[in-house]
Amino acid sequence: DGLRIEGNSVSARANNGIDVYGDNGSTTCHGINFSVVGNVVNGALVGVFLETVSHGTVSGNVIAHCTMFGATVNRIHGEPGSIIISGNEINAVPAGVRITGDTGGVSIRANSISDFTDAGVKLGDGAGGGETVVVRIHRDAKIERGGHGDGLAGIFGPVCAVRAGVA
């Protein structure tokens, strides 16, 4: 509770650059009230990996050249929720932000996501597991120059509800 990761520089990691883990085997998230702010992650597997956490922010980070994703929100047992991903610069990654499994609310706003090869924002795990992911992509998000084209065409998910242009 109350974890703050701020102002770090992480490069050339074979694993996740920053990993916030809140699973303890129960249906409750134990990684709560966290913030990941103003960090630089270059060359990690995943820039910022959020695992079964809630009530937190990922903002003002520069994430580049990761081999899988810029940022990931994942669920093991407890449902992640009340997470804001905002004001980050994410570039040169296969997918900018990836959300897997059921969530209790993730907001993606005012990020600059560019030079992705798969999707700017990727919803679901791609395995056809039937999860429901609801994400708000705010109108000030900048998603461009990706494998699926510009703008909202950079959002891809097997089963998802996306609300674009929400204030």
Side-chain angles (χ1 to χ4, degrees), residues 11 16 30 39 41 50 68 77 81 87 91 94-95 117 137-138 152:
S11 63
N16 302 325
H30 287 271
N39 300 284
V41 180
L50 306 176
M68 290 185 70
H77 295 100
N91 65 72
T117 56
I137 309 293
H138 292 258
L152 294 180

Side-chain angles (χ1 to χ4, degrees), residues 28-47:
T28 304
C29 291
H30 287 271
I32 58 172
N33 300 320
F34 68 91
S35 63
V36 178
V37 179
N39 300 284
V40 175
V41 180
N42 188 14
L45 182 67
V46 175

